[in-house]
Amino acid sequence: VSDELCVMIMSVRKGKRLVARLLPFLPAAQAAAVVMVIARNLPALAKKDKQDQVLCCLVDPVSAVIQSLSSSALTDLLQELQGSEGQLTTVLQNKVNRMRQLVSQRGKTGDHLVRWENIC
């Protein structure tokens, strides 16, 4: 799986949804390779997803692939997520900051119910 091609496809809303629908049908090795590409490029994908907010549709298919990984493949994936620049930390911090903004906005309008779909 080419990183450039995968990122190009996932740069648009339909591409993310296509990958989410395709992952369950790929052979285990190819699905793991796609998940590794997603992990390597997670900050860029998250940045491009700010307007679309569709990246969270990948949670279930990626989770299924992760559950099927061997321990060595899972270790490789975690190392990709850690990255040399702390990619996982950056992405999680962005999501937490987004959640804080939504809670703050909801508090100002008097609506105290924050749905998970709005956070993703």
Side-chain angles (χ1 to χ4, degrees):
V1 176
S2 163
D3 281 22
E4 296 83 20
L5 181 60
C6 190
V7 170
M8 185 177 73
I9 290 170
M10 293 185 65
S11 293
V12 294
R13 182 181 317 159
K14 289 181 182 182
K16 292 176 196 109
R17 290 192 178 158
L18 174 69
V19 171
R21 290 180 17 211
L22 180 67
L23 270 176
F25 298 105
L26 291 175
Q30 288 180 339
V34 170
V35 170
M36 292 297 281
V37 169
I38 293 170
R40 276 192 296 273
N41 297 286
L42 193 56
L45 293 171
K47 185 177 179 180
K48 292 179 180 186
D49 191 53
K50 284 184 180 180
Q51 289 181 330
D52 297 339
Q53 297 293 312
V54 181
L55 200 56
C56 59
C57 74
L58 287 164
V59 170
D60 290 336
V62 169
S63 295
V65 173
I66 289 172
Q67 289 176 2
S68 69
L69 291 177
S70 67
S71 59
S72 62
L74 186 58
T75 302
D76 292 342
L77 177 63
L78 290 172
Q79 288 175 344
E80 287 291 339
L81 286 171
Q82 290 285 339
S84 59
E85 302 170 8
Q87 295 175 359
L88 180 60
T89 305
T90 303
V91 170
L92 291 176
Q93 285 174 345
N94 289 340
K95 285 296 180 186
V96 168
N97 287 336
R98 175 76 176 133
M99 187 168 61
R100 285 183 189 157
Q101 291 172 350
L102 287 171
V103 169
S104 174
Q105 289 172 357
R106 297 289 177 150
K108 290 177 184 176
T109 62
D111 183 6
H112 299 291
L113 298 175
V114 176
R115 295 179 61 200
W116 179 250
E117 294 158 346
N118 292 335
I119 294 171
C120 284

